[in-house]
Amino acid sequence: MRSESELQGVTLLGNTGVKYPTSYSPSILETFDNKHPLREYLVTLHCPEFTSLCPKTGQPDFAKIIISYIPRIKMVESKSLKLYLFSFRNHGDFHEDCINIIMNDLIDLMDPRYIEVTGIFTPRGGISIYPFANYGDAEHQDFARRRLLQACRVTDIESHTR
């Protein structure tokens, strides 16, 4: 069980009066300390109901967002991540931009050893777009490069759509 001091920065979890943001809001993200900073392990977060807006037409775009990271000291708190991802609902940006913005905000927040963000966007106009962005610290740069090349394979992308 975590102590009150360990949960001091976690204000949204368990708070029933939380308001959903109406515009892009990275400041809503919260962290908690990783109790196992000496061990490398993977955390995967899956958001099957991501929405944003087309920057040109304002039409809604729908996606499944998959975030995987190897934490260092800080970890993202899931309710704050849910609210943050919801904040894209009225945000107009291209699919590729959304994925890179999410990754950059999480890097700034947590300073992970490694992180990857994949977007499985619902086809519009007969075209599916699956942007993938990743980052590795100095120790994980080779791994990041291998994952980037691996993610380019259609079979890897198709496994995420099931």
Side-chain angles (χ1 to χ4, degrees):
M1 186 95 171
R2 291 192 179 256
S3 68
E4 282 297 317
S5 64
E6 289 177 310
L7 296 173
Q8 197 167 21
V10 177
T11 64
L12 299 171
L13 187 61
N15 182 344
T16 57
V18 171
K19 302 258 189 279
Y20 280 80
T22 57
S23 61
Y24 167 68
S25 184
S27 63
I28 202 162
L29 287 167
E30 295 182 344
T31 63
F32 61 93
D33 288 339
N34 176 9
K35 283 192 167 186
H36 313 281
L38 300 178
R39 178 180 306 130
E40 286 196 1
Y41 60 100
L42 190 68
V43 177
T44 299
L45 303 157
H46 183 251
C47 175
E49 299 176 345
F50 178 83
T51 58
S52 61
L53 299 176
C54 172
K56 179 76 174 174
T57 66
Q59 291 180 325
D61 289 315
F62 302 94
K64 179 189 315 183
I65 304 294
I66 302 164
I67 301 164
S68 295
Y69 70 97
I70 300 172
R72 191 181 313 279
I73 303 299
K74 296 289 183 184
M75 300 177 71
V76 67
E77 191 280 314
S78 62
K79 184 171 183 179
S80 75
L81 179 66
K82 175 181 84 167
L83 294 171
Y84 164 76
L85 292 173
F86 185 87
S87 80
F88 280 83
R89 182 152 171 61
N90 296 319
H91 180 78
D93 240 328
F94 291 112
H95 304 340
E96 300 86 349
D97 296 324
C98 290
I99 296 309
N100 278 282
I101 290 167
I102 292 166
M103 187 184 73
N104 290 338
D105 287 344
L106 291 173
I107 290 169
D108 290 345
L109 179 74
M110 298 184 296
D111 184 31
R113 291 178 166 108
Y114 172 80
I115 187 167
E116 62 185 53
V117 181
T118 305
I120 309 296
F121 283 83
T122 302
R124 197 145 50 85
I127 296 176
S128 299
I129 300 175
Y130 301 152
F132 173 90
N134 71 347
Y135 158 84
D137 63 11
E139 186 181 348
H140 295 84
Q141 283 180 351
D142 288 340
F143 175 70
R145 180 73 178 152
R146 286 192 310 273
R147 280 292 300 138
L148 180 62
L149 296 173
Q150 182 183 37
C152 292
R153 295 186 199 149
V154 173
T155 54
D156 186 51
I157 292 170
E158 287 177 351
S159 70
H160 289 299
T161 61
R162 292 187 199 120

